[in-house]
Amino acid sequence: MSEQQSAPEQLAAGKSQGGAGATYKVVLFEFENFQGRKAEFSAECKDVSEKGLEKVGSVLVESGPWVGYDRQGFAGEQFVLEKGEYPRWDTWTNSQYSYSFWSMRPLKVDSAEHKLHLFESPGFTGKKMEIVDDDVPSLWGHGFQDRVASVKALNGTWVGYMYPGYRGRQYVFERGDFKHWNDWDSPAPQIQSVRRVRDMQWHKRGILNIFTSANN
């Protein structure tokens, strides 16, 4: 249900405890700084306008994580939303391509462990980079160029960024195989930084490995 709301402190009681088995909850506000009409969600929504919102100006994630989209039906540019407050659009994205927020769904964090394989060519071929339980603000800094044409997310959920420092368009990698950059809705095989999407209770030292072939 939608209603007028002016501050996040006035949200309904009963916050999730997070972790395994936790429920998801996010609140969208019509205007910046948690002002105006609001709508609460605990499951995916293909079109937020169906909940009475003409636009989204701020977001409060009570429990997550979530991924938002700039188009209806889980399409278009992606925005990863972890637990916290997002008082205006540029706090959930630094991409300059879109100001819209029209659909969203929960992201499943299936494991405390994280392992990701990046490949420079489609079909899991060419130079390979393995990332284990770590965030990488610059692939260049570890000897891997910005061309990423296929991905294997072996454990955990990840988000890749077009530019270093977790900037630019975002691409979500849930557990599975992505044989071509079209599989993650990218217009080009360009990723320059990646990080884990995780519960903040897990903090582990990471491992990076660079391979010259695509052997697993």
Side-chain angles (χ1 to χ4, degrees), residues 14-25 62-64 83 199 201:
K15 294 184 179 180
S16 167
Q17 297 301 310
T23 58
Y24 289 81
K25 185 175 181 181
E62 288 201 14
S63 55
K83 184 177 180 180
D199 275 344
Q201 64 180 319

Side-chain angles (χ1 to χ4, degrees), residues 12-13 20 26 33 38 42 67 73 89 116 146 152 156 161 177 183:
V26 64
N33 298 313
K38 72 159 189 171
S42 57
V67 56
W89 72 271
L116 187 73
D146 63 349
K152 285 189 175 185
Y161 296 80
D177 293 342
D183 292 343

Side-chain angles (χ1 to χ4, degrees), residues 45-48 68-79 98 100-104 169:
C45 179
K46 294 182 178 180
D47 186 351
V48 300
Y69 299 84
D70 73 345
R71 292 162 54 191
Q72 291 92 342
F74 317 118
E77 192 167 344
Q78 305 170 28
F79 317 115
S98 177
S100 301
F101 189 125
W102 287 109
S103 58
M104 63 184 174
R169 292 191 64 152

Side-chain angles (χ1 to χ4, degrees), residues 102-187:
W102 287 109
S103 58
M104 63 184 174
R105 63 179 178 84
L107 279 177
K108 183 179 180 181
V109 180
D110 61 358
S111 172
E113 305 295 327
H114 287 74
K115 181 183 287 188
L116 187 73
H117 289 173
L118 306 178
F119 301 85
E120 68 176 357
S121 301
F124 317 117
T125 59
K127 190 174 183 179
K128 170 185 169 184
M129 180 177 185
E130 179 180 83
I131 307 170
V132 181
D133 292 325
D134 204 4
D135 302 329
V136 183
S138 173
L139 300 184
W140 280 89
H142 295 280
F144 198 89
Q145 296 185 359
D146 63 349
R147 180 181 172 85
V148 176
S150 53
V151 174
K152 285 189 175 185
L154 288 90
N155 294 101
T157 300
W158 299 76
V159 54
Y161 296 80
M162 182 176 288
Y163 302 120
Y166 315 120
R167 296 179 297 110
R169 292 191 64 152
Q170 304 175 33
Y171 306 108
V172 171
F173 298 102
E174 293 172 285
R175 188 172 181 177
D177 293 342
F178 303 82
K179 295 181 179 180
H180 191 276
W181 62 87
N182 290 340
D183 292 343
W184 61 86
D185 295 325
S186 175

